[in-house]
Amino acid sequence: MKPRCSVLTTGRLDIDHVAALEALQGPVTIDRRCEAPAELLATARHTQADAALLIGQPEIITGSFVEQLRGCGLRVVVITDLLAERERLRLLGVRSLPDDVPAETLAQALQEEGRTQAEHTSGGEVLRSAAPGAVEGWGLSSASGDPMPKLPPPPRSRGSQEIPKDTGAVPRGITAVWGPHGAPGRTTTAISIASELAIAGAQVLLVDADSWSASAAAHLGLLEESAGLAQACRAADRGTLDGPGLVRLAQTVRTAGSSWDVLTGLPRPERWAELRPRAVERVLHLAAARYSHVIIDVAAPLEHNEEISFGTSAPQRNSAAVSSLSAADQVILVGAPDPVGFSRLVRSLGDYAEAVPDGVAPKVVINQLRGEVVGRSPQRRIAEAWARYGGGQVGAPAIEAYLPYDRSACDTALRHGQVLAECAEHSELRRAFAALVGVTVPRRRRWGLKK
């Protein structure tokens, strides 16, 4: 005899499925009939139900909503007569059935929907299905257990020109640019390395995932407040985002004879809740399958908002940053050399390890290096201080690069909405950013001298 299966349900179409299930007098019983999905979710958090049956209104069912139900230990089954919605739910890994489904079949689905998660899981990682019509990059079969699983590494697309594989080159894939509070130059670094890679011939997407103060669009002179990342996350949460759709949501930037794409950030910071973590993961996975290099500009805060998360599953404002860092193939940690900025940089190593315990070791970059705040031989002094305070930590990385201070070039670029390759082509700062990603910038020829 199958074990008892208690069900929470909401909604109704033409057929009374609750009465049909009860008439079977089997192990499936309806514990509570909720007025709305929100009530069902609240009830799920405080009961020991086994499954959730959602009837009608499939348009409100997103990956995040299903994830919350499954986080409460519930199997999820949806009934809808809309074929397009059943296909969308299938791509989210949700079992859906038509309204005329026999009660016996529905009861079996409510009892067995969760079994397929183990069948499609190996080593804790959900395997992708090759189901026809699956969304490009993360198609999931209807049997998939987690609606938003941790996705396997995507295939890397190739740019029109190979990037030199120097020691300091940024590898193909996802690179997150992060750093502590205090404006150490995260956005400038992200934009600069993205533009240098694009000029070298790579296919590049810049993602502004700063949920506190997105500014990549302003740096590049993009006046349209399109909130490209938020739109992509909404589509990903509904299971309707594919590779071509992602490209359509990105804005194309043309600099120094090259072009690259940008997913702009939030025009208003209060919209941070739209950047749900699993949706961000899906967007990045699709992006890595379409572009050879995905550069993410990430906000400084990583901590949880304890005041809104205690005892609840409330959204977290910093989840976009944590998700981006977790998905990254490489993390560039940008810090300032002044006493305040340097101490924040040292502490940020611990913050990163705590927030992203399984993350890659960051590449430490000192930006805005100048003798005025450090003293004579600033690079040597910073290296000594790092060896004593930062590099002395267990597993702490070494400083990979020192970027010179060039306030004039940065101000000019910001004023004109340009990148350094356009307004300060031969500056040492531009050359240092290019070297950071393994791109060599030719030096200016002097009159009367041979090359």
Side-chain angles (χ1 to χ4, degrees), residues 28-113:
V28 177
T29 60
I30 304 298
D31 274 8
R32 179 164 177 174
R33 195 166 193 167
C34 304
E35 292 296 326
E39 181 186 347
L40 184 147
L41 180 58
T43 304
R45 292 170 178 159
H46 300 91
T47 63
Q48 297 297 318
D50 301 299
L53 174 61
L54 298 103
I55 307 172
Q57 297 182 309
E59 66 278 358
I60 68 171
I61 301 173
T62 65
S64 297
F65 181 75
V66 174
E67 180 191 1
Q68 292 181 70
L69 289 175
R70 285 192 167 135
C72 298
L74 271 66
R75 300 185 289 271
V76 181
V77 176
V78 179
I79 292 179
T80 174
D81 273 339
L82 302 176
L83 183 60
E85 285 298 306
R86 289 207 299 272
E87 173 66 11
R88 180 181 71 84
L89 293 170
R90 182 185 70 81
L91 296 175
L92 286 177
V94 180
R95 183 77 175 270
S96 60
L97 302 165
D99 192 33
D100 58 358
V101 60
E104 294 82 1
T105 302
L106 177 58
Q108 182 180 5
L110 289 168
Q111 295 174 88
E112 299 182 352
E113 185 270 348

Coordinates of all heavy atoms in Angstrom, one line a residue, residues 28-113:
V28 N -4.3 9.5 -1.4 CA -4.2 10.9 -1.7 C -5.4 11.6 -1.0 O -6.6 11.3 -1.3 CB -4.2 11.2 -3.2 CG1 -4.2 12.7 -3.4 CG2 -3.0 10.6 -3.8
T29 N -5.1 12.5 -0.1 CA -6.2 13.3 0.6 C -5.9 14.8 0.5 O -4.7 15.2 0.5 CB -6.3 12.9 2.1 OG1 -5.0 13.1 2.7 CG2 -6.6 11.4 2.2
I30 N -6.9 15.5 0.4 CA -6.8 17.0 0.3 C -6.9 17.5 1.8 O -7.9 17.4 2.4 CB -7.9 17.6 -0.5 CG1 -7.9 17.0 -1.9 CG2 -7.8 19.1 -0.6 CD1 -6.7 17.3 -2.7
D31 N -5.8 18.1 2.2 CA -5.7 18.6 3.6 C -6.3 20.0 3.7 O -6.9 20.4 4.7 CB -4.2 18.7 4.0 CG -3.8 17.4 4.7 OD1 -4.6 16.4 4.6 OD2 -2.7 17.3 5.2
R32 N -6.1 20.8 2.6 CA -6.6 22.2 2.7 C -6.8 22.7 1.3 O -6.0 22.5 0.4 CB -5.7 23.1 3.5 CG -6.2 24.5 3.6 CD -5.4 25.3 4.6 NE -5.8 26.7 4.7 CZ -5.4 27.5 5.6 NH1 -4.6 27.1 6.6 NH2 -5.8 28.8 5.6
R33 N -7.9 23.4 1.1 CA -8.2 24.1 -0.2 C -8.0 25.6 0.1 O -8.8 26.2 0.8 CB -9.6 23.8 -0.6 CG -9.9 24.1 -2.1 CD -11.2 23.5 -2.5 NE -11.3 23.6 -4.0 CZ -12.2 22.9 -4.6 NH1 -13.1 22.1 -4.0 NH2 -12.3 23.0 -6.0
C34 N -7.0 26.2 -0.6 CA -6.6 27.6 -0.3 C -7.3 28.5 -1.3 O -7.6 28.1 -2.5 CB -5.1 27.7 -0.4 SG -4.2 26.7 0.8
E35 N -7.5 29.7 -1.0 CA -8.2 30.7 -1.8 C -7.3 31.2 -2.9 O -7.8 31.5 -4.0 CB -8.7 31.8 -1.0 CG -9.9 31.5 -0.1 CD -11.1 31.0 -0.9 OE1 -11.4 31.6 -2.0 OE2 -11.8 30.1 -0.4
A36 N -6.0 31.3 -2.7 CA -5.1 31.8 -3.6 C -3.7 31.2 -3.5 O -3.4 30.6 -2.4 CB -5.0 33.3 -3.4
P37 N -2.9 31.2 -4.5 CA -1.5 30.7 -4.4 C -0.7 31.2 -3.2 O 0.1 30.5 -2.6 CB -0.9 31.0 -5.8 CG -2.1 31.1 -6.7 CD -3.2 31.7 -5.9
A38 N -0.9 32.5 -2.9 CA -0.2 33.1 -1.8 C -0.5 32.4 -0.5 O 0.3 32.1 0.4 CB -0.4 34.6 -1.7
E39 N -1.8 32.1 -0.3 CA -2.2 31.4 0.9 C -1.7 29.9 0.9 O -1.3 29.4 2.0 CB -3.8 31.3 0.9 CG -4.3 30.6 2.2 CD -5.8 30.5 2.2 OE1 -6.5 31.1 1.3 OE2 -6.3 29.7 3.0
L40 N -1.7 29.3 -0.3 CA -1.1 28.0 -0.3 C 0.4 28.0 0.1 O 0.8 27.1 0.8 CB -1.3 27.4 -1.8 CG -0.8 26.0 -2.0 CD1 -1.7 25.3 -3.1 CD2 0.6 25.9 -2.5
L41 N 1.1 29.0 -0.4 CA 2.5 29.0 -0.1 C 2.7 29.3 1.4 O 3.6 28.6 2.1 CB 3.2 30.1 -0.9 CG 4.7 30.3 -0.6 CD1 5.5 29.1 -0.9 CD2 5.2 31.5 -1.5
A42 N 1.9 30.1 2.0 CA 2.0 30.4 3.4 C 1.7 29.2 4.2 O 2.3 28.9 5.3 CB 1.1 31.6 3.8
T43 N 0.6 28.4 3.8 CA 0.3 27.2 4.5 C 1.3 26.2 4.4 O 1.6 25.4 5.3 CB -1.1 26.7 3.9 OG1 -2.1 27.7 3.9 CG2 -1.5 25.4 4.6
A44 N 2.0 26.1 3.2 CA 3.0 25.1 3.0 C 4.2 25.2 4.0 O 4.8 24.3 4.4 CB 3.5 25.2 1.6
R45 N 4.4 26.5 4.4 CA 5.6 26.7 5.3 C 5.3 26.3 6.7 O 6.2 26.2 7.6 CB 5.9 28.2 5.3 CG 6.5 28.7 4.0 CD 6.6 30.2 3.9 NE 7.2 30.7 2.7 CZ 7.0 31.9 2.2 NH1 6.3 32.8 2.8 NH2 7.6 32.2 1.0
H46 N 4.0 26.0 7.0 CA 3.7 25.7 8.4 C 2.9 24.4 8.6 O 2.3 24.1 9.6 CB 2.8 26.8 9.0 CG 3.5 28.1 9.0 ND1 3.4 29.1 8.0 CD2 4.3 28.7 9.9 CE1 4.1 30.1 8.3 NE2 4.7 30.0 9.4
T47 N 2.9 23.5 7.5 CA 2.3 22.2 7.6 C 3.3 21.2 7.1 O 4.3 21.5 6.6 CB 1.0 22.2 6.7 OG1 1.4 22.4 5.3 CG2 0.0 23.3 7.1
Q48 N 2.8 19.9 7.2 CA 3.6 18.8 6.8 C 3.0 18.2 5.5 O 3.0 16.9 5.4 CB 3.8 17.8 7.9 CG 4.5 18.3 9.1 CD 5.9 18.7 8.9 OE1 6.6 18.0 8.1 NE2 6.3 19.8 9.4
A49 N 2.5 19.0 4.6 CA 1.9 18.4 3.4 C 3.0 17.8 2.5 O 4.1 18.1 2.6 CB 1.1 19.5 2.7
D50 N 2.5 17.0 1.6 CA 3.4 16.3 0.7 C 3.4 16.8 -0.8 O 4.4 16.7 -1.5 CB 3.0 14.8 0.6 CG 3.1 14.1 1.9 OD1 4.2 14.1 2.6 OD2 2.0 13.6 2.4
A51 N 2.3 17.4 -1.2 CA 2.2 17.9 -2.6 C 1.3 19.1 -2.7 O 0.5 19.4 -1.8 CB 1.6 16.8 -3.5
A52 N 1.5 19.9 -3.7 CA 0.7 21.0 -4.0 C 0.1 20.8 -5.4 O 0.7 20.5 -6.4 CB 1.5 22.3 -4.0
L53 N -1.3 21.0 -5.5 CA -2.0 20.9 -6.7 C -2.5 22.3 -7.1 O -3.4 22.9 -6.3 CB -3.1 19.9 -6.6 CG -4.1 19.8 -7.8 CD1 -3.3 19.3 -9.0 CD2 -5.2 18.9 -7.4
L54 N -2.0 22.9 -8.1 CA -2.5 24.2 -8.6 C -3.3 24.1 -9.8 O -2.8 23.6 -10.8 CB -1.3 25.1 -8.8 CG -0.4 25.4 -7.6 CD1 0.9 24.5 -7.7 CD2 0.0 26.9 -7.5
I55 N -4.5 24.6 -9.8 CA -5.5 24.4 -10.8 C -5.8 25.7 -11.5 O -6.3 26.6 -10.8 CB -6.8 23.7 -10.3 CG1 -6.5 22.4 -9.6 CG2 -7.8 23.4 -11.5 CD1 -7.7 21.8 -8.9
G56 N -5.6 25.8 -12.8 CA -5.8 27.1 -13.5 C -4.8 28.2 -13.1 O -3.9 28.0 -12.3
Q57 N -4.9 29.3 -13.8 CA -4.0 30.5 -13.5 C -2.5 30.1 -13.6 O -1.7 30.4 -12.7 CB -4.3 31.1 -12.2 CG -5.7 31.7 -12.1 CD -5.9 32.4 -10.7 OE1 -5.6 31.8 -9.7 NE2 -6.3 33.6 -10.8
P58 N -2.1 29.3 -14.6 CA -0.7 28.9 -14.7 C 0.3 30.1 -14.9 O 1.5 30.0 -14.6 CB -0.7 28.0 -15.9 CG -1.8 28.4 -16.8 CD -2.9 28.9 -15.8
E59 N -0.3 31.2 -15.4 CA 0.6 32.4 -15.7 C 1.3 32.9 -14.4 O 2.3 33.6 -14.5 CB -0.2 33.5 -16.4 CG -1.3 34.1 -15.6 CD -2.6 33.3 -15.6 OE1 -2.6 32.3 -16.2 OE2 -3.5 33.8 -14.9
I60 N 0.7 32.7 -13.3 CA 1.3 33.2 -12.0 C 2.4 32.3 -11.5 O 3.1 32.6 -10.6 CB 0.3 33.4 -10.9 CG1 -0.3 32.1 -10.5 CG2 -0.8 34.3 -11.4 CD1 -1.2 32.2 -9.2
I61 N 2.5 31.1 -12.1 CA 3.5 30.1 -11.6 C 4.8 30.3 -12.3 O 5.0 30.1 -13.5 CB 3.0 28.7 -11.9 CG1 1.7 28.5 -11.2 CG2 4.0 27.6 -11.4 CD1 1.0 27.1 -11.6
T62 N 5.8 30.8 -11.5 CA 7.2 31.0 -12.0 C 8.1 30.0 -11.4 O 7.8 29.3 -10.4 CB 7.6 32.4 -11.7 OG1 7.7 32.6 -10.2 CG2 6.6 33.5 -12.2
G63 N 9.3 30.0 -11.9 CA 10.3 29.1 -11.3 C 10.6 29.4 -9.9 O 10.8 28.5 -9.1
S64 N 10.6 30.7 -9.5 CA 10.9 31.1 -8.1 C 9.7 30.6 -7.2 O 10.0 30.1 -6.1 CB 11.0 32.6 -8.0 OG 12.1 33.0 -8.7
F65 N 8.5 30.7 -7.7 CA 7.3 30.2 -6.9 C 7.4 28.7 -6.7 O 7.2 28.3 -5.5 CB 6.0 30.6 -7.6 CG 4.8 30.2 -6.8 CD1 4.4 30.9 -5.7 CD2 4.0 29.2 -7.3 CE1 3.3 30.6 -5.0 CE2 2.9 28.8 -6.6 CZ 2.5 29.5 -5.4
V66 N 7.7 28.0 -7.7 CA 7.8 26.5 -7.6 C 9.0 26.2 -6.7 O 8.9 25.2 -5.9 CB 7.9 25.9 -9.0 CG1 8.2 24.4 -8.9 CG2 6.7 26.2 -9.8
E67 N 10.1 26.9 -6.8 CA 11.2 26.7 -6.0 C 10.9 26.8 -4.5 O 11.3 26.0 -3.6 CB 12.3 27.6 -6.3 CG 13.6 27.4 -5.5 CD 14.6 28.6 -5.7 OE1 14.3 29.5 -6.5 OE2 15.7 28.5 -5.1
Q68 N 10.1 27.8 -4.1 CA 9.7 28.0 -2.8 C 8.8 26.8 -2.3 O 9.0 26.3 -1.1 CB 8.9 29.3 -2.6 CG 9.8 30.5 -2.8 CD 9.0 31.8 -2.6 OE1 8.6 32.2 -1.5 NE2 8.7 32.5 -3.7
L69 N 7.9 26.4 -3.1 CA 7.1 25.2 -2.7 C 7.9 24.0 -2.5 O 7.8 23.2 -1.6 CB 6.0 24.9 -3.8 CG 4.9 26.0 -3.9 CD1 4.0 25.6 -5.1 CD2 4.1 26.0 -2.6
R70 N 8.8 23.7 -3.4 CA 9.7 22.6 -3.3 C 10.7 22.7 -2.1 O 11.1 21.7 -1.5 CB 10.5 22.3 -4.6 CG 9.5 21.7 -5.7 CD 10.3 21.2 -6.8 NE 9.5 20.4 -7.7 CZ 9.4 20.5 -9.0 NH1 10.1 21.4 -9.6 NH2 8.6 19.7 -9.7
G71 N 11.0 24.0 -1.8 CA 11.8 24.2 -0.6 C 11.1 23.8 0.7 O 11.7 23.5 1.7
C72 N 9.7 23.8 0.6 CA 8.9 23.4 1.7 C 8.7 21.8 1.7 O 7.9 21.3 2.6 CB 7.6 24.1 1.7 SG 7.7 25.9 1.9
G73 N 9.3 21.2 0.8 CA 9.2 19.7 0.7 C 8.0 19.2 -0.1 O 7.6 18.0 0.0
L74 N 7.4 20.1 -0.9 CA 6.2 19.7 -1.6 C 6.5 19.3 -3.1 O 7.3 19.9 -3.7 CB 5.2 20.9 -1.7 CG 4.2 21.0 -0.5 CD1 4.9 21.3 0.8 CD2 3.1 22.0 -0.8
R75 N 5.8 18.3 -3.6 CA 5.8 18.0 -5.0 C 4.8 18.9 -5.6 O 3.8 19.2 -5.0 CB 5.4 16.5 -5.2 CG 6.4 15.5 -4.5 CD 6.1 14.1 -4.9 NE 4.9 13.6 -4.2 CZ 4.9 13.1 -3.0 NH1 6.0 12.9 -2.4 NH2 3.7 12.6 -2.5
V76 N 5.0 19.3 -6.8 CA 4.1 20.3 -7.5 C 3.5 19.7 -8.8 O 4.3 19.2 -9.6 CB 4.9 21.6 -7.8 CG1 4.0 22.6 -8.4 CG2 5.6 22.1 -6.5
V77 N 2.2 19.8 -8.9 CA 1.5 19.5 -10.1 C 0.5 20.6 -10.4 O -0.1 21.1 -9.6 CB 0.7 18.1 -9.9 CG1 -0.1 17.8 -11.1 CG2 1.7 17.0 -9.5
V78 N 0.5 20.9 -11.7 CA -0.4 22.0 -12.2 C -1.4 21.4 -13.2 O -1.0 20.6 -14.0 CB 0.5 23.1 -12.9 CG1 -0.4 24.2 -13.4 CG2 1.5 23.6 -11.9
I79 N -2.6 21.9 -13.1 CA -3.6 21.5 -14.1 C -4.0 22.8 -14.9 O -4.4 23.8 -14.4 CB -4.9 21.0 -13.4 CG1 -4.6 19.6 -12.8 CG2 -6.0 20.8 -14.4 CD1 -5.7 19.0 -12.1
T80 N -3.9 22.7 -16.2 CA -4.2 23.8 -17.1 C -4.6 23.2 -18.5 O -4.0 22.2 -19.0 CB -3.1 24.8 -17.3 OG1 -3.4 25.8 -18.3 CG2 -1.8 24.1 -17.7
D81 N -5.5 23.9 -19.2 CA -5.9 23.5 -20.5 C -5.1 24.2 -21.6 O -5.4 24.0 -22.8 CB -7.4 23.7 -20.7 CG -8.2 22.5 -20.3 OD1 -7.6 21.4 -20.2 OD2 -9.4 22.6 -20.0
L82 N -4.2 25.1 -21.2 CA -3.5 25.9 -22.1 C -2.2 25.2 -22.5 O -1.3 25.0 -21.7 CB -3.1 27.3 -21.5 CG -4.3 28.2 -21.1 CD1 -3.8 29.4 -20.4 CD2 -5.2 28.5 -22.3
L83 N -2.2 24.8 -23.8 CA -1.1 24.0 -24.3 C 0.3 24.7 -24.1 O 1.3 24.2 -23.7 CB -1.3 23.5 -25.7 CG -0.2 22.6 -26.3 CD1 -0.1 21.3 -25.5 CD2 -0.5 22.3 -27.8
A84 N 0.2 26.0 -24.5 CA 1.5 26.8 -24.4 C 2.0 26.9 -23.0 O 3.2 26.8 -22.7 CB 1.2 28.2 -25.0
E85 N 1.1 27.0 -22.0 CA 1.5 27.1 -20.6 C 2.0 25.7 -20.1 O 3.0 25.7 -19.3 CB 0.3 27.5 -19.7 CG 0.0 29.0 -19.8 CD 1.2 29.9 -19.4 OE1 1.6 29.7 -18.3 OE2 1.6 30.7 -20.2
R86 N 1.5 24.6 -20.6 CA 2.0 23.3 -20.2 C 3.4 23.1 -20.8 O 4.3 22.5 -20.1 CB 1.1 22.2 -20.8 CG -0.3 22.1 -20.0 CD -0.8 20.7 -20.1 NE -1.1 20.2 -21.4 CZ -2.3 20.4 -22.1 NH1 -3.2 21.1 -21.5 NH2 -2.4 19.9 -23.3
E87 N 3.7 23.7 -22.0 CA 5.0 23.6 -22.5 C 6.0 24.4 -21.7 O 7.1 24.0 -21.4 CB 5.0 24.0 -24.0 CG 6.4 24.1 -24.6 CD 7.1 22.8 -24.8 OE1 6.5 21.8 -24.6 OE2 8.3 22.8 -25.1
R88 N 5.5 25.6 -21.3 CA 6.4 26.5 -20.5 C 6.7 25.8 -19.2 O 7.9 25.9 -18.7 CB 5.7 27.8 -20.3 CG 6.5 28.8 -19.4 CD 5.8 30.1 -19.2 NE 4.6 30.0 -18.3 CZ 4.7 30.0 -17.0 NH1 5.9 30.2 -16.4 NH2 3.7 29.9 -16.2
L89 N 5.7 25.3 -18.6 CA 5.9 24.6 -17.3 C 6.8 23.4 -17.4 O 7.6 23.1 -16.5 CB 4.6 24.2 -16.7 CG 3.7 25.4 -16.2 CD1 2.3 24.9 -15.9 CD2 4.3 26.1 -15.1
R90 N 6.7 22.7 -18.6 CA 7.6 21.6 -18.8 C 9.0 22.0 -18.8 O 9.9 21.4 -18.3 CB 7.2 20.9 -20.1 CG 8.1 19.7 -20.4 CD 7.8 19.1 -21.8 NE 8.3 20.0 -22.8 CZ 9.5 20.0 -23.3 NH1 10.4 19.3 -22.7 NH2 9.9 20.9 -24.2
L91 N 9.3 23.2 -19.5 CA 10.7 23.7 -19.5 C 11.2 24.1 -18.2 O 12.4 24.2 -17.9 CB 10.7 24.8 -20.5 CG 10.4 24.4 -22.0 CD1 10.4 25.7 -22.9 CD2 11.4 23.5 -22.5
L92 N 10.2 24.4 -17.3 CA 10.6 24.7 -15.9 C 10.8 23.5 -15.0 O 11.1 23.6 -13.9 CB 9.6 25.7 -15.2 CG 9.6 27.1 -15.7 CD1 8.5 27.9 -15.0 CD2 11.0 27.8 -15.4
G93 N 10.5 22.3 -15.6 CA 10.6 21.1 -14.8 C 9.4 20.8 -14.0 O 9.5 20.1 -13.0
V94 N 8.2 21.4 -14.4 CA 7.0 21.2 -13.6 C 6.0 20.3 -14.3 O 5.8 20.4 -15.5 CB 6.3 22.6 -13.3 CG1 5.0 22.4 -12.5 CG2 7.3 23.5 -12.6
R95 N 5.5 19.3 -13.6 CA 4.5 18.4 -14.2 C 3.2 19.1 -14.3 O 2.6 19.7 -13.4 CB 4.3 17.2 -13.2 CG 3.4 16.1 -13.7 CD 4.0 15.3 -14.8 NE 3.2 14.2 -15.2 CZ 3.2 13.0 -14.6 NH1 4.0 12.7 -13.6 NH2 2.4 12.0 -15.1
S96 N 2.6 19.1 -15.5 CA 1.3 19.8 -15.8 C 0.4 18.8 -16.6 O 0.9 18.0 -17.4 CB 1.5 21.1 -16.6 OG 2.1 20.8 -17.8
L97 N -0.9 18.9 -16.3 CA -1.9 18.0 -16.9 C -3.1 18.8 -17.4 O -3.4 19.9 -16.8 CB -2.3 17.0 -15.8 CG -1.2 16.1 -15.3 CD1 -1.7 15.4 -14.0 CD2 -0.7 15.1 -16.3
P98 N -3.8 18.3 -18.3 CA -5.0 19.0 -18.8 C -6.2 18.8 -17.8 O -6.1 17.9 -16.9 CB -5.4 18.3 -20.1 CG -4.7 16.9 -20.0 CD -3.5 17.1 -19.2
D99 N -7.2 19.6 -18.0 CA -8.3 19.6 -17.0 C -9.1 18.3 -17.0 O -9.7 17.9 -16.0 CB -9.3 20.8 -17.3 CG -10.3 21.0 -16.2 OD1 -10.0 20.8 -15.0 OD2 -11.5 21.4 -16.5
D100 N -9.1 17.6 -18.1 CA -9.9 16.3 -18.2 C -9.0 15.1 -17.8 O -9.4 14.0 -18.1 CB -10.4 16.1 -19.6 CG -9.3 16.1 -20.7 OD1 -8.1 16.2 -20.3 OD2 -9.6 15.9 -21.9
V101 N -8.0 15.3 -17.1 CA -7.1 14.2 -16.6 C -7.9 13.3 -15.7 O -8.7 13.8 -14.8 CB -5.9 14.7 -15.9 CG1 -6.2 15.6 -14.7 CG2 -5.0 13.6 -15.5
P102 N -7.9 12.0 -15.8 CA -8.6 11.1 -14.9 C -8.1 11.2 -13.5 O -6.9 11.5 -13.3 CB -8.3 9.7 -15.5 CG -7.9 9.9 -16.9 CD -7.2 11.3 -17.0
A103 N -8.9 11.0 -12.5 CA -8.6 11.2 -11.1 C -7.4 10.2 -10.8 O -6.5 10.6 -10.0 CB -9.8 11.0 -10.3
E104 N -7.4 9.0 -11.3 CA -6.4 8.0 -11.0 C -5.0 8.5 -11.5 O -4.0 8.4 -10.8 CB -6.7 6.7 -11.7 CG -8.0 6.0 -11.1 CD -9.2 6.5 -11.7 OE1 -9.1 7.4 -12.6 OE2 -10.3 6.1 -11.4
T105 N -5.0 9.1 -12.7 CA -3.7 9.6 -13.2 C -3.2 10.8 -12.4 O -2.0 10.9 -12.1 CB -3.9 10.1 -14.7 OG1 -4.4 8.9 -15.5 CG2 -2.6 10.6 -15.3
L106 N -4.1 11.7 -12.0 CA -3.8 12.8 -11.2 C -3.2 12.4 -9.8 O -2.2 12.9 -9.3 CB -5.0 13.7 -11.0 CG -4.8 15.0 -10.1 CD1 -3.7 15.8 -10.6 CD2 -6.1 15.8 -10.0
A107 N -3.9 11.4 -9.2 CA -3.4 10.9 -7.9 C -2.0 10.3 -8.0 O -1.2 10.5 -7.2 CB -4.4 9.8 -7.4
Q108 N -1.8 9.6 -9.1 CA -0.4 9.0 -9.3 C 0.6 10.1 -9.5 O 1.7 10.0 -9.0 CB -0.5 8.1 -10.6 CG 0.9 7.4 -10.8 CD 0.8 6.5 -12.0 OE1 -0.2 6.4 -12.7 NE2 1.9 5.8 -12.3
A109 N 0.3 11.1 -10.2 CA 1.2 12.2 -10.4 C 1.5 12.9 -9.1 O 2.7 13.3 -8.9 CB 0.6 13.2 -11.4
L110 N 0.5 13.1 -8.3 CA 0.8 13.8 -7.0 C 1.7 12.9 -6.1 O 2.4 13.4 -5.3 CB -0.6 14.0 -6.3 CG -1.4 15.1 -6.9 CD1 -2.8 15.1 -6.3 CD2 -0.8 16.5 -6.7
Q111 N 1.6 11.6 -6.2 CA 2.4 10.7 -5.4 C 3.8 10.5 -6.0 O 4.8 10.3 -5.2 CB 1.7 9.3 -5.3 CG 0.4 9.4 -4.5 CD -0.3 8.1 -4.5 OE1 0.0 7.2 -3.7 NE2 -1.1 7.8 -5.5
E112 N 4.0 10.6 -7.3 CA 5.2 10.1 -7.9 C 6.0 11.3 -8.6 O 7.1 11.0 -9.1 CB 4.9 9.1 -8.9 CG 4.3 7.8 -8.3 CD 4.1 6.8 -9.4 OE1 4.3 7.0 -10.6 OE2 3.7 5.6 -9.0
E113 N 5.5 12.5 -8.6 CA 6.1 13.6 -9.3 C 7.5 13.8 -8.9 O 8.4 14.1 -9.6 CB 5.3 14.9 -9.2 CG 5.8 16.1 -9.9 CD 6.8 16.9 -9.2 OE1 6.9 16.7 -8.0 OE2 7.4 17.8 -9.8

